[in-house]
Amino acid sequence: MKKQVFVAEYRMPKTFHASLIFSLFLLFTMASSRDNMLPSHLQLNSALTCRLVGGLTRDQRAICYDSPDAAAIAFEGLQLAVKECQHQFRWHRWNCSSLNVKSSNPHASAIMRRGFRETSFLYALTAAGVAHTVARACAQGRLLSCGCDPLGYRASHDPRGRARVNKWEWSGCSHNLAFGIEFSKKFLDVREQVDDLQSKINVHNNNAGRSILSSQMEVRCKCHGLSGSCQLRTCWRATPDFRVVASTIKRQYRKALIVAQEELNNGLSTLRGRPRGRRKSRARPAPKTSLLFFEKSPSFCEADPKTDSAGTSGRVCRIGRTSRTGSCDLLCCGRGHALIRKSSIKPCNCTFHWCCRVDCQRCKDDKWVAICK
Ligand SMILES: *[C@@H]1O[C@H](CO)[C@@H](O)[C@H](O)[C@H]1NC(C)=O
Ligand SMILES: *[C@@H]1O[C@H](CO)[C@@H](O)[C@H](O)[C@H]1NC(C)=O
């Protein structure tokens, strides 16, 4: 009798009940599957990550369950790309802010299903971000499936085959670019299953991002020998700071080619494009590192969920030269701007006392900032 009362009082909504059972079932099946190399709590966490990250295709989810550790690093790479995008576009009307809130997967975002110039930038940047992060993680020993670059780049001869005068060797731990690029291809290009032009363009832009990353690999060296005599130099290959890669991709974004109209109709096997605004110039095959787009971007002036646009109302803009990116004229779309006073507390009038103390006053710092109407 008592039990019945309990049930009656604590009955959960049916849907909640079902989803609870479903989640428990998932937890159980995930915990028992795959990757026995990982400790069990990590297995669960990575598998949960695969489950929880939104906007993955079925194939991506399968890869995620197969290599949860590499996939977790790939998600870090995607986040790095989003952060960089926000930096590179901080003075643009579309500023990448919508990608952050959606999920940890920028590909879930509406703009990734379009063909804008911004879209081409994002494909290249995310593909490069994943390759970059995975390549570094390999060298840092964060992944079971890869280590330092095994080829070691044993190029102690110059291109003509003569031994170098100042001898040096490739050694140390090179960032594993090959593995990073391979995983970026496997994990991101698999999204593009349909054999249509848009998928081809997305893969082209992914490859462009990865090519730009490869072309910017750095050689870092260290001298050995008595008191820095550098009798022996060891060198290794390292991925550059991601900001450098992102800035290069941003330059390609400005020079992006619009896919020729003929192409849209007959879908040739080599993609060709022409610089925008030069209709009369001949379409030419796109170099490996150039970005391709096929849809004119909207103004991004007003909020529009269909294009992931937050609109520019309320954005801080720059007073002054009107042609400058981020100028109030460009950013506010002709609606004008308002000046508001923004105050913050900053350390000031700092004095140094021997030894070693610095005393500062706290000063109110008032600034006028311009805000788009
Ligand atoms: C980007 O735009 C959004 C929406 O307009 C705004 O809230 C955000 O502060 C902007 N980010 C930067 C870095 O300016
Ligand atoms: C810094 O110190 C000077 C003199 O000591 C004072 O006149 C000035 O107001 C201080 N600055 C601020 C911002 O408080």
Side-chain angles (χ1 to χ4, degrees):
M1 229 24 225
K2 213 168 187 187
K3 200 172 178 188
Q4 271 175 357
V5 172
F6 177 83
V7 170
E9 278 181 357
Y10 291 90
R11 180 174 296 153
M12 287 183 266
K14 265 204 184 110
T15 48
F16 177 69
H17 215 119
S19 67
L20 183 68
I21 289 171
F22 186 58
S23 324
L24 284 174
F25 168 71
L26 278 175
L27 281 177
F28 179 73
T29 47
M30 284 185 308
S32 59
S33 73
R34 312 291 162 103
D35 225 331
N36 296 320
M37 308 277 289
L38 287 174
S40 59
H41 68 282
L42 270 186
Q43 267 179 44
L44 194 62
N45 285 345
S46 358
L48 258 182
T49 306
C50 298
R51 181 85 222 149
L52 293 179
V53 168
L56 296 178
T57 64
R58 188 203 294 212
D59 292 319
Q60 276 187 306
R61 232 177 268 282
I63 295 168
C64 190
Y65 286 128
D66 264 342
S67 340
D69 57 343
I73 305 284
F75 293 132
E76 278 177 29
L78 293 174
Q79 285 312 301
L80 177 67
V82 170
K83 221 179 95 214
E84 248 334 285
C85 178
Q86 286 171 352
H87 175 79
Q88 298 291 338
F89 280 77
R90 65 200 180 284
W91 291 115
H92 290 240
R93 288 179 187 162
W94 177 80
N95 73 358
C96 255
S97 64
S98 58
L99 297 188
N100 215 14
V101 261
K102 283 273 161 63
S103 69
S104 43
N105 180 15
H107 290 86
S109 172
I111 199 159
M112 298 301 267
R113 292 190 290 277
R114 308 301 293 262
F116 306 141
R117 192 186 281 258
E118 288 76 11
T119 315
S120 71
F121 173 81
L122 277 172
Y123 273 92
L125 191 70
T126 46
V130 168
H132 181 271
T133 316
V134 172
R136 285 199 170 184
C138 290
Q140 290 161 350
R142 295 176 64 200
L143 286 171
L144 295 169
S145 36
C146 63
C148 302
D149 192 326
L151 293 178
Y153 298 94
R154 277 163 307 212
S156 43
H157 296 269
D158 70 12
R160 272 169 263 158
R162 292 178 310 209
R164 280 181 190 275
V165 184
N166 288 324
K167 257 202 183 161
W168 55 282
E169 288 178 356
W170 290 104
S171 82
C173 180
S174 290
H175 289 172
N176 199 335
L177 185 69
F179 190 91
I181 288 196
E182 214 38 59
F183 194 77
S184 167
K185 280 191 177 163
K186 182 174 157 189
F187 191 59
L188 296 181
D189 293 6
V190 74
R191 294 183 64 85
E192 313 300 331
Q193 291 259 304
V194 193
D195 191 27
D196 64 357
L197 195 70
Q198 182 169 9
S199 304
K200 266 193 214 159
I201 290 172
N202 292 345
V203 171
H204 171 93
N205 291 328
N206 282 349
N207 281 328
R210 291 184 289 247
S211 296
I212 288 170
L213 171 66
S214 317
S215 70
Q216 291 190 316
M217 288 295 280
E218 290 167 358
V219 174
R220 298 205 185 129
C221 296
K222 198 173 153 185
C223 276
H224 306 273
L226 285 176
S227 57
S229 62
C230 216
Q231 278 167 325
L232 178 69
R233 226 148 61 103
T234 53
C235 303
W236 64 95
R237 306 247 293 167
T239 49
D241 183 34
F242 196 61
R243 171 85 21 111
V244 175
V245 181
S247 302
T248 311
I249 298 177
K250 178 76 184 297
R251 277 198 290 283
Q252 289 295 343
Y253 155 86
R254 289 197 205 97
K255 300 191 292 186
L257 304 172
I258 185 151
V259 173
Q261 194 57 44
E262 312 90 84
E263 217 76 18
L264 294 171
N265 302 331
N266 60 21
L268 297 174
S269 53
T270 47
L271 287 167
R272 304 183 314 153
R274 58 165 66 99
R276 210 175 146 67
R278 281 192 252 157
R279 296 211 162 256
K280 289 196 192 97
S281 69
R282 279 167 64 97
R284 48 187 157 88
K288 259 167 77 175
T289 53
S290 54
L291 302 187
L292 289 173
F293 67 104
F294 59 89
E295 199 178 350
K296 188 175 173 295
S297 300
S299 70
F300 293 116
C301 283
E302 311 295 333
D304 179 8
K306 281 207 289 291
T307 57
D308 268 344
S309 167
T312 64
S313 179
R315 287 279 298 278
V316 175
C317 60
R318 292 154 135 175
I319 306 171
R321 267 193 304 128
T322 56
S323 58
R324 187 184 186 200
T325 39
S327 74
C328 294
D329 280 344
L330 289 177
L331 204 56
C332 308
C333 307
R335 294 185 306 257
H337 62 270
L339 287 174
I340 61 161
R341 208 160 166 79
K342 233 184 173 171
S343 56
S344 56
I345 305 284
K346 284 190 175 153
C348 65
N349 270 358
C350 296
T351 48
F352 179 74
H353 298 275
W354 187 262
C355 180
C356 296
R357 197 175 89 235
V358 178
D359 285 336
C360 294
Q361 286 175 299
R362 284 154 56 83
C363 297
K364 218 170 119 192
D365 181 42
D366 280 344
K367 253 198 279 183
W368 288 100
V369 289
I371 301 279
C372 286
K373 287 184 181 163

